[in-house]
Amino acid sequence: MTPMIEVRDLVKHYQVPGRGTVRALGGVSFTVERGETLGLVGESGCGKSTVAQVLVRLEPPTSGEVRIAGQDVAAARGAALRRLRRTVQLVFQDPYASLNPRMRVGAAIAEVLAVHDAALGAAARRDRVTELLGMVGLTAGTADRLPAQLSGGQRQRVGIARALAVRPEVLVLDEPVSALDVSVRAEVMNLIARLRDELGLTCVFISHDLGMVRHIADRIAVMYLGEIVELGSWRTVSDAPLHPYAKALQDAVPVPDPTVAESVGRPIAGEVPDAANPPTGCTFHPRCPLVEDVCRTTVPPLLPVRTRDEQHLVACHVVARQHGLVST
């Protein structure tokens, strides 16, 4: 069966005045099966949000191939692009910035219906808005309120309802709870998981928090400076990561136990390099505790490693040698 999402050798460059070419994505490849949730994890600036923008065609790829439900995203124009918009929708990180502050909630959701289903009458749109608000746990009266009259959690529920208005098959969620109070994050996460299961959605869930992603993703891809460095099942990547960067992300997750000396997590040493001037070889080598000479000169390929997870991939010279994949 063809995967719902296919990304092959995706490259995205930006031309930035004063900096030249910034490599946001340096050849990213992954697939997401129908009904599966893939988590994309990494520090700020690693390219996670760029992947999201390319998936929903807010940004065109520089090169590579992206297909959703078999449709070539980069080639979509006119009616094909409109079909793509119905297939894949994006939930933004900041629920306030993504909503028009002067437009009432009901009008914001109804606008999507008017654009994508012009034959739907005004009464039917109102009924659909009420249905969508109920799906995300909001009352019908919420339709008459402005975004400023809602809490952060309520605004994000509106954003989710708006994304679901056209009955998409794929939902891309770009840090959907990072701007929310800690007290409401679990509620929104549970809502997303419930809707995913009830509607049979295929999801790409983006976050910098490895501990959070493990609770919703079937598989996790760890990104660093525009590349995937480890990919596998949620249990493998979150509980037994092999790549030094993935291990550092795991160590940085706070432990909710005051008796544990390192309960606040250990920060990753060093700073993320400049994407306009990335390091040669493995881009993580300036921060890596396992660095060897080969790491400074040769880009490590993303290779399958022999673990209980048959689809466990890691891009690391040291790990590859330890697992008998290459000799360096």
Side-chain angles (χ1 to χ4, degrees), residues 107-154:
I109 300 175
E111 182 181 44
V112 179
L113 298 171
V115 169
H116 288 279
D117 196 349
L120 200 65
R125 286 200 295 269
R126 286 195 296 271
D127 290 343
R128 177 62 175 157
V129 168
T130 299
E131 178 188 6
L132 288 162
L133 290 173
M135 287 171 59
V136 298
L138 297 174
T139 64
T142 308
D144 298 321
R145 302 175 71 180
L146 293 168
Q149 296 174 306
L150 304 178
S151 67
Q154 289 172 325

